[in-house]
Amino acid sequence: MQTRRIALAASGFGGRALSAVPTGRHLRRVVENTGVLQIDSVNVLQRAHYLPVYSRIGPYDAALLDRGSSRKPRWLFEYWAHEASLVPVALQPYLRWRMATARTTAWGSVRDMVARRPELIQWVLDEVGERGPVTAAEIESDVKKPKENWGWNWSDAKIALEYLFYEGAITSAGRNTAFARRYDLTSRVLPPEVVHAPTPSNDEAYRVLVEIAARSYGVAAEVELRDYFRLPVDGSRQAVAELVDAGTLIPVEVKGWKPQAYMHKDAPGPRKPNFATLVSPFDPLIWFRGRTERLFDMSYRIEIYVPEAQRVHGYYVLPFLQGDRFTARVDLKADRKAGVLRVPAAWVEPKADPESTAHALKAELERLASWLGLGGVDKAERGDLAAVLNGVPSSA
């Protein structure tokens, strides 16, 4: 129980501003706690990077997050951190080690482009320099698109853009209404003090990134610290050992954990949480499914890519965190045309009380629907919590 509470506090849970309007200060505090917000294209409910902020501080103005990454002075930028992510601009120098490996670690089609059409990569870079910010669609009409249906069937121009993005020569100046990146030269997007900051050694970068992961997790195993920024095995293990020697990480024993656990020296003390919130499948709290099982005794898998007939809980399922326990999971869809929050399924977790869980979940669903600009919450369609949830009167 103590480990769970330390982990939740470290990740920023428990500070929801339910009686006040969350501000930019609350938003920055969330990013300070997580270090990264994962981006995903699925928009069945809400874009992934907005949800971890909502889970921690409640209904906030999502435009605050958009402005942080798309307008000067930017304090966030987009790069491959965990996956595609929004990351504080100050971390850009500590991700240059990955940018330097683009020719050997980018996807196969991207690496192939470097060898096959280097002149195209230079042409695309010149186009971005001359015309940026620019989307792939705005320049790819000048470059032949392959007829083969491979990968995402990207055009050669899009592949070149992605290589340059991976390499760090260009970055995203924001997204358009279709959620397409607007590419521009990194030197024009990031603050000058970041662009001109010296590049740290790989070892220093790994230590910084591991410590960020440790701060966010509170308590974690080495493999989880490594996974946070997808670090190389040897580099992560060395960074952990050096941080232990420096007293930054403290080896601890956690009952029921097989791997060695490490606690950050500044991890918050355990405190009884008094909140209830839905958690995104892409939230750092539950990224590493093995850690989720050890901390919360909950086996969670996202089923977006599972054939519909084989899904157990649903398509876009969010666990419901009540205090320091997950008590339910709910499949959700924002039906923007009808103006309602659909609930294809609702399930209660073992050992959770269905009645109290349903009342807390109903209140959270109504709060979420309001934040999304939806008029209400539809009836749950299936699941062992559906009937109880549907019997809870609306507070509206």
Side-chain angles (χ1 to χ4, degrees), residues 55-251:
S55 296
R56 288 160 176 79
I57 63 175
Y60 71 103
D61 182 1
L64 292 172
L65 187 56
D66 294 334
R67 285 197 289 271
S69 60
S70 62
R71 297 183 189 176
K72 294 181 178 180
R74 289 178 177 84
W75 60 278
L76 294 169
F77 83 108
E78 189 176 331
Y79 190 61
W80 296 104
H82 181 71
E83 294 288 341
S85 306
L86 287 176
V87 183
V89 294
L91 288 187
Q92 195 266 0
Y94 298 96
L95 292 168
R96 290 177 190 165
W97 63 271
R98 176 166 290 142
M99 299 172 188
T101 69
R103 287 178 179 267
T104 57
T105 61
W107 313 280
S109 59
V110 177
R111 295 198 309 271
D112 175 66
M113 175 66 70
V114 178
R116 184 167 54 87
R117 300 193 66 184
E119 77 290 345
L120 175 62
I121 292 174
Q122 184 60 52
W123 178 84
V124 168
L125 180 60
D126 292 342
E127 285 290 291
V128 172
E130 181 179 340
R131 301 171 54 186
V134 63
T135 65
E138 290 175 301
I139 63 173
E140 64 186 359
S141 59
D142 294 328
V143 181
K144 183 179 179 181
K145 188 172 183 177
K147 296 180 179 180
E148 301 86 355
N149 186 22
W150 48 270
W152 290 280
N153 200 23
W154 282 349
S155 69
D156 280 0
K158 173 64 174 175
I159 294 172
L161 284 166
E162 286 302 307
Y163 171 76
L164 291 165
F165 178 84
Y166 198 119
E167 188 183 51
I170 64 175
T171 190
S172 175
R175 299 265 185 161
N176 66 10
T177 55
F179 204 58
R181 283 191 187 119
R182 299 170 60 245
Y183 299 95
D184 203 353
L185 299 180
T186 299
S187 59
R188 289 202 296 239
V189 173
L190 297 184
E193 63 270 21
V194 173
V195 173
H196 300 300
T199 300
S201 68
N202 287 6
D203 290 347
E204 181 185 353
Y206 299 153
R207 284 195 300 272
V208 168
L209 296 175
V210 166
E211 184 175 0
I212 290 170
R215 282 184 181 275
S216 178
Y217 273 153
V219 180
E222 182 275 324
V223 66
E224 296 147 9
L225 299 174
R226 181 201 321 161
D227 176 73
Y228 208 88
F229 286 98
R230 301 292 167 85
L231 302 177
V233 175
D234 291 345
S236 172
R237 289 177 176 171
Q238 179 178 325
V240 168
E242 291 172 351
L243 290 169
V244 168
D245 289 343
T248 304
L249 296 185
I250 304 168

Side-chain angles (χ1 to χ4, degrees), residues 41-65:
S41 61
V42 175
N43 195 28
V44 65
L45 180 66
Q46 173 62 297
R47 299 287 185 191
H49 56 292
Y50 296 111
L51 286 168
V53 180
Y54 169 84
S55 296
R56 288 160 176 79
I57 63 175
Y60 71 103
D61 182 1
L64 292 172
L65 187 56

Side-chain angles (χ1 to χ4, degrees), residues 26-37 65 75-76 88:
H26 295 102
L27 170 58
R28 284 177 179 262
R29 188 181 302 157
V30 169
V31 180
E32 287 174 4
N33 283 323
T34 64
V36 58
L37 297 174
L65 187 56
W75 60 278
L76 294 169

Side-chain angles (χ1 to χ4, degrees), residues 4 18 35 39 124 138 212 276 295 319 346 360 379 389:
R4 282 200 307 274
L18 299 181
I39 297 171
V124 168
E138 290 175 301
I212 290 170
L295 275 176
K379 295 287 187 182
L389 183 63

